[in-house]
Amino acid sequence: MANAKVIQAKQDAVDVVTGKLQNSISTVVADYRGLNVSQVTELRKQLREAGVEFQVLKNTLLRRATAAAELTDLDAVLTGPTAIAFSETDAVIAAKILNDFAKKNDALKLKGGVVEGRVIDADQLKALAELPSREGLLSMLLSVLQAPMRNFALAVKAVAEKEEQSA
């Protein structure tokens, strides 16, 4: 009787993780081996403030969840101690926070992840993390769109000043 309850509890945990894998815009898998308690606490705090859920899960549970979510390509990185970050709102924020934290703490290693249903490796994850934020990209776009108008205005002003000097 107790065995059936344990099996059901494990199945429920797999179902929860499967749901998170399917509902997350991005998922980042990392090796946290070597981080001390205060470092993990700081990392969890940063992720929580950004709306990212961070958990340490057993690889067997994760493999069952990836099979149910049809993301078995992720199984290749599910070795050793595994921490996983789920972001349901922003595709870049989890990778950015974990990558920045890994730069300051050599013990944290990014293994790979899933972005919008596509499995990516650690190098692609780091490239994603290096992208500017959404606001940064929008300001760059605005700057590019304003440049022709600004250049035209400067040219008109220069012509007007030249006309004033020759008059």
Side-chain angles (χ1 to χ4, degrees), residues 91-127:
V92 180
I93 194 71
K96 192 174 282 299
I97 291 171
L98 286 166
N99 189 51
D100 290 346
F101 196 85
K103 286 179 183 176
K104 297 173 191 164
N105 301 283
D106 293 336
L108 184 70
K109 305 278 189 260
L110 299 181
K111 294 181 177 183
V114 180
V115 176
E116 296 181 348
R118 197 177 125 234
V119 176
I120 60 174
D121 63 19
D123 293 332
Q124 292 169 319
L125 197 59
K126 288 176 184 174

Side-chain angles (χ1 to χ4, degrees), residues 92 128 130-144:
V92 180
L128 178 69
E130 297 297 328
L131 288 175
S133 67
R134 182 178 188 275
E135 291 78 20
L137 289 172
L138 288 174
S139 69
M140 285 183 211
L141 176 64
L142 183 61
S143 175
V144 167

